[in-house]
Amino acid sequence: MATIDKDQYIVTQEPFYQAQADEVELYTAAFDARLPVMVKGPTGCGKSRFIEYMAWKLGKPLITVACNEDMTASDLVGRYLLDAGGTRWLDGPLTVAARIGAICYLDEVVEARQDTTVVIHPLTDHRRQLPLDKKGELVDAHPDFQLVISYNPGYQSLMKDLKQSTKQRFVAFDFDYPEAELEAGIIAKETGIDIAEAAKLVKIGETARNLKGHGLDEGISTRLLVYAAQLINRGIEARAACRMALVRPITDDADIRSTLDHAIEAVFA
Ligand SMILES: Nc1ncnc2c1ncn2[C@@H]1O[C@H](COP(=O)(O)OP(=O)(O)O)[C@@H](O)[C@H]1O
Ligand SMILES: [Mg+2]
C-alpha cells in the first residue's frame, strides 16, 4: 500500500488568530487528552481559523472536510475505485486522518445525514477505531488523531440536529463574534485597513446583529466585515463597499436593507 505523505497536511505558516478568551489553553488540554472537540457558533466568527491555528501551534496535520447533505459515509471513510488494473481501495479523508494522526475537522457536520455521522462514533470513544466495513479492515487510530466538528446552532431544526448520542461524545466551545475592540483589531490586522475605519465596520456589524430575530436570521459575520475592508483597501468608497459586502449578501428584505443602508450612511457621514 502506498504510504501517505503526512507533510502535505501540515500547516506550515502561522495563521493569524486573535484569541477571544482562554480557548487556546482549553483546546490544548483537550488535544492532550485526545478528546473530540465540537466548535459551535454562527458562520464567519473564526471557528475554522481557530482550528487551523491550533493545528499549526500543535504541529499536527489538519484534514478539513466540508460536510453537505449529499455526503455519504463512503465519502468520509473510502471506497473501491475501478481502474485499468481492476479495483483499488481509496481511503477517504477520515481514514487518512486516523492513519496518519491528523486533526480531522468536519466543517458544518449537521449538514451530513445522520447515517453518515454515526461512522465517527467508534473513533470518539475509548476504542478509537474506524471500521472499514466494505474493505473488512479495522483501523486503529494513530495516537495523535483527533476529531473536531463545527456546528452552527442557529440553523438547526428538529429534523437536522445532532443526536444526543453524537453530541455527548464531544467537549464543546461556544464561539461568537468577537467583542467590538477585538473585532476591529482582527479586521485591521487581517486586511491592513486602519483601526478607526475597522471600528466603523464593526459598528455596522453591531446594528445588523441587533436585528437578529427581528428580520435577520443571522447578523453580519466577521468574515463579511473583512470582505468590506478588502474592498475599501482596493479603493472602493466605504459606503459602496459596505452595501456590497455587508448588506446585499445577507438579506433581500427591503425594510432591513434600508435600515442597514441608513446605518452605513450614519457611520460614514
Ligand atoms: N479570532 C480571529 N482571528 C483572526 N481572524 C478571524 C478571527 N475571527 C474571524 N476572523 C476572520 O474571519 C474570517 C472567517 O472566519 P472563519 O474561521 O472562516 O469562520 P467560521 O469557520 O466560523 O465560519 C477569517 O477568514 C478571518 O479573516
Ligand atoms: Mg468554517
Side-chain angles (χ1 to χ4, degrees), residues 48 105 107 223:
S48 297
Y105 178 43
D107 203 359
R223 179 190 295 120

Side-chain angles (χ1 to χ4, degrees), residues 13 26 38 62 74 118 123 127 135 160 196 222 240 247 249 251:
Q13 283 239 358
L26 293 176
M38 169 169 7
L62 174 65
S74 301
V118 296
L123 275 172
R127 290 172 283 178
K135 191 168 183 258
K160 247 195 185 176
T222 308
V247 183
T251 180

Side-chain angles (χ1 to χ4, degrees), residues 28-84:
T28 305
F31 180 81
D32 288 346
R34 297 301 185 274
L35 295 176
V37 165
M38 169 169 7
V39 194
K40 301 168 135 184
T43 186
C45 72
K47 302 184 296 295
S48 297
R49 182 63 66 89
F50 173 58
I51 301 305
E52 278 162 43
Y53 174 77
M54 291 309 306
W56 171 82
K57 195 168 172 22
L58 296 164
K60 300 298 172 202
L62 174 65
I63 297 182
T64 298
V65 185
C67 300
N68 65 71
E69 59 199 55
D70 296 326
M71 209 169 78
T72 63
S74 301
D75 292 323
L76 281 180
V77 165
R79 55 165 54 87
Y80 279 106
L81 295 179
L82 261 176
D83 63 17

